[in-house]
């Protein structure tokens, strides 16, 4: 009976998520300074209709929306993998330094005067650099969970300090651009960036489903996983690299957006219960909906023009994090017979 109810909840949640994503995507393509009817926008997306409509939809609105969808999906799945890998409901890309690494890579290219189209590549490289540092510093302990968390926090703090130092030394015209990027934004995305990161994201998501069984075995604990023949250090390293790649690709499209990777696993867990392979798919869908919705709020509901989407997700994330910390620190009530 419980399984039947869970399946119904999962089906309803997945259907609702797909409907919400379709509605949000339609809104993103049709609204703005120039309002376009939904049917016209869909034709323009396919390359038909007025040249002005085709230009606005294909070159400006669609890449931004798809960047938010792909980036949100990557963050959602990365958050699920990290929280299970670290066995910590507060784990997120910030914990392992990906946010700091992506920011450092992007800001370094901005400082060098590189083309704006190369900045996402800098973010991807910076995220992978953070993973390399994390692996080097934590390898001596066999990638133990506690060592990973502490090392990740140290790497994140060091990289964030380097980013802040660079921004302070920037000329005024570059500091604003760098600061906006490090907050997280999908403004100005191009199809080249979306297709490049999106193609890599598909491969990384496929790898997540392939490695899900190892993650399920690690859930049993290191002793039990070892007894079942799993090399826990190697498995943890593979999953950590996978989570880093997902988060780095997301950062390449949307910048170091906070809250999404932290919140999505909790939302999915509330609906589906114990994690499964289906949970990963729902996490990707939920992350896409959450980031696209946040970007629409930035574009159309807030009076401040040019506000990055990361400002909205961070505003949502602060109270969410406080609630999670309160729940974690609350003593467990015991019933007395």
């Amino acid at each position: 009976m419980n399984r039947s109810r869970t399946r119904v909840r999962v089906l309803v949640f997945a259907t609702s998520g797909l409907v919400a994503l379709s509605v949000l995507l339609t809104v993103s393509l049709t609204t703005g300074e120039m309002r376009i009817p939904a049917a016209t926008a869909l034709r323009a997306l396919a390359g038909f209709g007025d040249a002005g409509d085709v230009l606005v939809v294909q070159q400006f609105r669609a890449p931004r929306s798809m960047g938010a969808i792909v980036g949100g999906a990557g963050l959602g799945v990365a958050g699920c993998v990290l929280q299970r890998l670290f066995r910590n409901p507060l784990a997120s890309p910030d914990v392992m330094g990906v946010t700091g690494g992506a920011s450092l890579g992007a800001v370094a290219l901005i400082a060098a005067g590189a083309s704006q189209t190369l900045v996402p590549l800098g973010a991807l490289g910076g995220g992978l650099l953070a993973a390399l540092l994390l692996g080097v510093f934590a390898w001596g302990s066999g990638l133990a969970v506690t060592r990973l968390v502490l090392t990740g926090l140290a790497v994140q703090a060091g990289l964030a300090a380097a980013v802040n130092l660079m921004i302070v030394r920037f000329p005024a015209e570059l500091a604003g651009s760098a600061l906006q990027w490090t907050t997280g934004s999908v403004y100005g995305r191009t199809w080249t960036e979306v297709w490049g990161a999106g193609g890599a994201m598909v491969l990384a998501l496929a790898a997540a489903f392939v490695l899900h069984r190892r993650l399920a075995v690690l859930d049993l604990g290191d002793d039990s996983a070892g007894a079942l023949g799993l090399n826990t250090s190697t498995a943890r390293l593979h999953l950590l690299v996978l989570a880093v790649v997902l988060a780095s690709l997301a950062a390449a499209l949307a910048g170091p957006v906070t809250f999404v990777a932290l919140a999505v696993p909790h939302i999915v867990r509330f609906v589906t219960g114990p994690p499964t392979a289906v949970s990963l798919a729902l996490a990707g869908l939920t992350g896409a909906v959450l980031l696209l919705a946040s970007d629409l709020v930035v574009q159309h509901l807030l009076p401040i023009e040019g506000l990055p989407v990361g400002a909205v997700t961070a505003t949502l994330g602060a109270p969410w994090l406080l609630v999670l910390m309160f729940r974690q620190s609350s003593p467990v009530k015991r019933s007395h017979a």
Side-chain angles (χ1 to χ4, degrees):
M1 191 65 168
N2 289 335
R3 287 186 177 180
S4 299
R5 290 180 178 177
T6 300
R7 288 174 182 172
V8 171
R9 288 202 305 270
V10 168
L11 181 60
V12 171
F13 186 77
T15 303
S16 301
L18 290 172
V19 170
L21 188 62
S22 300
V23 171
L24 291 171
L25 182 58
T26 301
V27 171
S28 69
L29 296 178
T30 57
T31 56
E33 293 185 6
M34 184 175 74
R35 300 186 68 86
I36 303 175
T40 303
L42 292 176
R43 287 198 300 271
L45 184 62
F48 301 105
D50 182 76
D53 293 339
V54 172
L55 177 65
V56 170
V57 172
Q58 283 194 349
Q59 301 303 318
F60 297 106
R61 295 180 181 175
R64 178 170 184 164
S65 301
M66 291 306 299
I69 290 172
V70 175
L75 287 172
V77 176
C80 276
V81 173
L82 284 175
Q83 289 188 12
R84 291 180 65 184
L85 183 63
F86 288 172
R87 301 169 198 160
N88 188 334
L90 300 178
S92 71
D94 295 344
V95 170
M96 60 181 183
V98 173
T99 300
S103 298
L104 181 63
V107 170
L109 286 187
I110 293 174
S115 170
Q116 190 66 27
T117 58
L118 296 178
V119 173
L121 293 178
L124 177 59
L128 296 176
L129 172 63
L132 178 62
L133 293 174
L134 180 61
V136 169
F137 292 139
W139 184 261
S141 64
L143 296 180
V145 173
T146 303
R147 181 70 175 267
L148 277 172
V149 172
L150 294 177
T151 304
L153 290 172
V155 169
Q156 172 69 15
L159 293 173
V163 170
N164 291 334
L165 179 62
M166 292 178 67
I167 291 178
V168 169
R169 300 295 299 273
F170 271 3
E173 61 272 14
L174 291 180
S177 175
L179 188 60
Q180 182 185 42
W181 201 96
T182 56
T183 307
S185 176
V186 289
Y187 174 77
R189 293 285 74 83
T190 66
W191 280 119
T192 300
E193 296 166 358
V194 171
W195 283 116
M201 187 75 77
V202 169
L203 296 177
L205 291 174
F209 285 98
V210 171
L211 295 177
H212 177 264
R213 289 188 177 181
R214 297 185 186 181
L215 194 57
V217 174
L218 285 175
D219 285 342
L220 301 175
D222 287 2
D223 292 338
S224 298
L228 292 173
L230 182 69
N231 186 322
T232 56
S233 294
T234 301
R236 193 171 285 120
L237 177 62
H238 290 165
L239 290 164
L240 180 61
V241 170
L242 173 64
V244 167
V245 170
L246 286 168
S248 298
L249 289 171
L253 283 174
V257 174
T258 58
F259 173 65
V260 176
L262 174 66
V264 164
H266 296 275
I267 297 172
V268 173
R269 195 179 305 119
F270 177 78
V271 176
T272 65
T276 62
V278 175
S279 302
L280 292 179
L282 292 179
L285 176 60
T286 306
V289 169
L290 188 56
L291 190 55
L292 181 57
S294 298
D295 189 48
L296 288 176
V297 169
V298 165
Q299 293 183 68
H300 307 300
L301 297 183
L302 295 180
I304 304 175
E305 186 176 353
L307 190 70
V309 67
V312 173
T313 59
T315 302
L316 294 172
W320 183 281
L321 182 59
L322 288 174
V323 170
L324 287 179
M325 293 179 66
F326 177 78
R327 290 181 60 185
Q328 287 295 109
S329 61
S330 297
V332 180
K333 295 181 179 181
R334 299 181 179 179
S335 60
H336 299 279

